[in-house]
Amino acid sequence: MSTNQFLPLVEKIKTEGKCLEGGILKVDSFINHQIDPMMLQLMCEEFARRFSNVHVDKILTIEASGIAPAVVLGYLLKKPVVFAKKKKPSTMADMLTTEVYSFTKQKSYTVCCSKEFIKEGEDILFIDDFLANGNAAKGMIELVEKAGAKIVGMGFLVEKAFQNGGQMLEKLGHRVESLAVIESLDNCTITFKE
Ligand code: 5GP
């Protein structure tokens, strides 16, 4: 787990982030609802820097909030971006599927991706907005394994360290890069990891 905080994002969270009940950080003003493209560019340049020594064929994310950072990073790295879908399209025949438990929605859902877009032998960089318990990430690892491809790195805009997803992913041997790491949201106070 990296505690290498990306200061422009830390400052933005300090000024615009809001704590909700149940350990949820709301960043609707620049990530999850309204999007700040300039901030997005800065964050993705940082991802590009941190993953510069990793070979990447494709970027994978999960809809919806991972798409914006994944596309900006894909643009910077000049690599295609695939987003796993939360609903099975009737037009998709040959699919990889997995179950993901959603922490914010407190229910499981099926995530799918066409076999056409994640192929055997490809090096995949997974990007998402938040890392909490790591359920979404675990589902994506399973999807990539089913395709016979390989996860070469996992990048998150915000990691909530008190939920242990980062530890779990690192135990599985994955390289995790989180731009802002939050130690605690107790008493509705945002505390960043030192
Ligand atoms: P995990 O699967 O790691 O438990 O949770 C990650 C997913 O849940 C992310 O893709 C994100 O959409 C959502 N999520 C988890 N925690 C938060 C949070 O504190 N704030 C927001 N906005 N989304 C969260």
Side-chain angles (χ1 to χ4, degrees):
M1 191 187 329
S2 169
T3 46
N4 182 11
Q5 305 278 9
F6 182 58
L7 295 180
L9 175 58
V10 168
E11 288 309 313
K12 187 87 166 164
I13 293 172
K14 280 184 185 166
T15 49
E16 297 187 24
K18 295 188 177 78
C19 280
L20 300 188
E21 290 296 316
I24 303 264
L25 177 68
K26 197 168 149 127
V27 283
D28 275 13
S29 66
F30 65 103
I31 293 176
N32 291 125
H33 193 3
Q34 177 172 255
I35 293 174
D36 179 340
M38 284 67 72
M39 189 65 213
L40 211 48
Q41 182 181 351
L42 285 180
M43 296 188 290
C44 290
E45 283 170 351
E46 178 67 9
F47 273 143
R49 199 181 61 74
R50 292 191 188 191
F51 288 113
S52 60
N53 58 353
V54 172
H55 177 264
V56 176
D57 290 310
K58 236 167 232 183
I59 295 164
L60 174 67
T61 189
I62 180 165
E63 65 178 355
S65 295
I67 296 176
V71 169
V72 173
L73 183 58
Y75 179 80
L76 293 173
L77 299 183
K78 311 251 176 299
K79 299 292 175 190
V81 176
V82 179
F83 62 93
K85 295 181 177 243
K86 288 183 176 167
K87 270 197 189 127
K88 177 188 172 301
S90 56
T91 49
M92 201 188 283
D94 218 4
M95 280 189 323
L96 303 156
T97 60
T98 190
E99 287 290 303
V100 170
Y101 178 77
S102 166
F103 164 74
T104 42
K105 300 197 174 73
Q106 300 200 348
K107 61 173 188 188
S108 287
Y109 55 93
T110 305
V111 174
C112 64
C113 179
S114 167
K115 283 185 183 164
E116 202 182 333
F117 302 122
I118 304 280
K119 293 207 182 90
E120 193 176 340
E122 284 182 329
D123 287 338
I124 306 292
L125 176 58
F126 175 69
I127 294 293
D128 205 1
D129 58 343
F130 273 85
L131 172 61
N133 293 307
N135 292 312
K138 221 161 72 183
M140 291 302 99
I141 292 169
E142 212 176 286
L143 214 71
V144 168
E145 276 173 357
K146 282 184 184 176
K150 185 177 154 204
I151 297 264
V152 291
M154 310 192 92
F156 302 90
L157 301 179
V158 184
E159 174 177 338
K160 296 189 295 179
F162 58 92
Q163 282 177 294
N164 296 324
Q167 273 178 358
M168 182 273 291
L169 294 176
E170 288 194 336
K171 265 195 199 135
L172 292 175
H174 291 287
R175 158 115 184 252
V176 177
E177 290 287 347
S178 303
L179 301 187
V181 183
I182 291 172
E183 171 100 342
S184 151
L185 293 174
D186 290 350
N187 306 316
C188 277
T189 305
I190 307 171
T191 310
F192 291 88
K193 195 160 178 170
E194 294 291 326

